[in-house]
Amino acid sequence: MAGFKAHITFGIITSVCYVSILYTLSIVPIDVIKVCFFSTIFSAMLPDIDSNSGIPVQIIFSILSLLTMVWLFDHLSFYVLHASTGAFLSGVGGILMYTVVQSGFKKMTSHRGAFHSIPMAFIFGLIVLSALMPYKMAPQIKIALALSVVIGYLCHLLLDELNSAVNLNGQPFKPKKSLGSAMKLTASTALSTAMLYSTLFALILLNQGFLLRYVVVRLL
């Protein structure tokens, strides 16, 4: 398994390649390209969210807590009378995300389980797409942002798989026992796999209109 620095480095390289394509083809505005750059790098850490220790999980939940506070404050502004009340509730939500949610998440997951699978990359991409649906922005912007998450996620899995392919210890190339444990299509158990694909299909159905109109039709 590749280390944190290796994943960040590979994530940056992948991000530069992705945003270079976006910039060259003039698909989205420069401000969106900047967001895609950081989104791809952040997503390159996401598969390690199921690791109970280490830098990635701390960074991921710190950012998720911040995003939770921003999202709550944005939505609570329509329902509370005072900004201070909204700020307080948003702060509580962020703290709960970092403490309670993170603790529960660690207890329910195991490293290199469902989160180290190809379907999970598309699940995260569709989650981002679903979150962007209420906002008025061009379809290509939503697609670019969602795709940045998928690409960043997959680059992590690819690097882990490459690292598992050979054991560079001065001996002839020999596949490691962990080969095939990163870029897989299933989870560790039949139940987890069923939940994995049920979530994926549910998100596809949720976004089927958008996907058919702006993705499938244009590809065909």
Side-chain angles (χ1 to χ4, degrees), residues 18 21 37 47 65 81 109 122 129 135 144 147 156 160:
Y18 177 55
I21 294 173
F37 175 76
S65 299
L81 296 177
T109 58
F122 291 98
L129 188 62
Y135 298 95
L147 195 57
H156 180 113
D160 272 349

Side-chain angles (χ1 to χ4, degrees), residues 48-55 57-58 102-111:
D48 279 343
I49 195 174
D50 59 6
S51 175
N52 289 343
S53 61
I55 299 175
V57 67
Q58 299 301 323
Q102 181 178 179
S103 177
F105 185 84
K106 288 180 178 180
K107 292 179 180 178
M108 293 187 297
T109 58
S110 59
H111 193 45

Side-chain angles (χ1 to χ4, degrees), residues 15-31:
S15 182
V16 169
C17 294
Y18 177 55
V19 298
S20 295
I21 294 173
L22 294 178
Y23 181 78
T24 302
L25 298 178
S26 300
I27 297 175
V28 293
I30 189 65
D31 290 341

Side-chain angles (χ1 to χ4, degrees), residues 28 129 137-145 210 213-214 218:
V28 293
L129 188 62
M137 57 179 67
Q140 61 267 27
I141 294 178
K142 296 179 181 179
I143 294 172
L145 291 170
F210 181 89
R213 181 180 301 176
Y214 297 108
R218 296 195 178 187

Side-chain angles (χ1 to χ4, degrees), residues 138-210:
Q140 61 267 27
I141 294 178
K142 296 179 181 179
I143 294 172
L145 291 170
L147 195 57
S148 71
V149 174
V150 176
I151 291 174
Y153 204 102
L154 290 176
C155 88
H156 180 113
L157 302 185
L158 176 61
L159 185 58
D160 272 349
E161 199 61 55
L162 291 174
N163 190 66
S164 300
V166 292
N167 189 4
L168 301 177
N169 55 4
Q171 299 177 357
F173 292 143
K174 182 180 179 181
K176 293 182 180 179
K177 293 181 179 180
S178 57
L179 180 63
S181 63
M183 295 192 74
K184 54 183 181 290
L185 296 173
T186 60
S188 54
T189 65
L191 178 60
S192 298
T193 300
M195 293 177 63
L196 181 71
Y197 279 96
S198 295
T199 303
L200 177 60
F201 290 143
L203 286 168
I204 291 175
L205 289 175
L206 181 64
N207 297 281
Q208 62 176 331
F210 181 89

Side-chain angles (χ1 to χ4, degrees), residues 1 5 10 19 37 89 104 141 146 217:
M1 182 174 61
K5 291 183 179 179
F10 195 53
V19 298
F37 175 76
L89 294 174
I141 294 178
V217 173

Side-chain angles (χ1 to χ4, degrees), residues 59-128:
I59 294 177
I60 290 169
F61 271 98
S62 295
I63 295 176
L64 288 177
S65 299
L66 178 60
L67 292 175
T68 299
M69 287 189 287
V70 173
W71 185 85
L72 283 174
F73 187 78
D74 182 47
H75 285 71
L76 287 174
S77 60
F78 294 100
Y79 302 102
V80 296
L81 296 177
H82 302 288
S84 58
T85 304
F88 173 75
L89 294 174
S90 300
V92 171
I95 293 172
L96 290 176
M97 170 62 73
Y98 191 79
T99 55
V100 178
V101 175
Q102 181 178 179
S103 177
F105 185 84
K106 288 180 178 180
K107 292 179 180 178
M108 293 187 297
T109 58
S110 59
H111 193 45
R112 284 219 172 186
F115 283 88
H116 272 74
S117 67
I118 295 175
M120 188 60 75
F122 291 98
I123 286 175
F124 272 99
L126 288 168
I127 289 175
V128 170

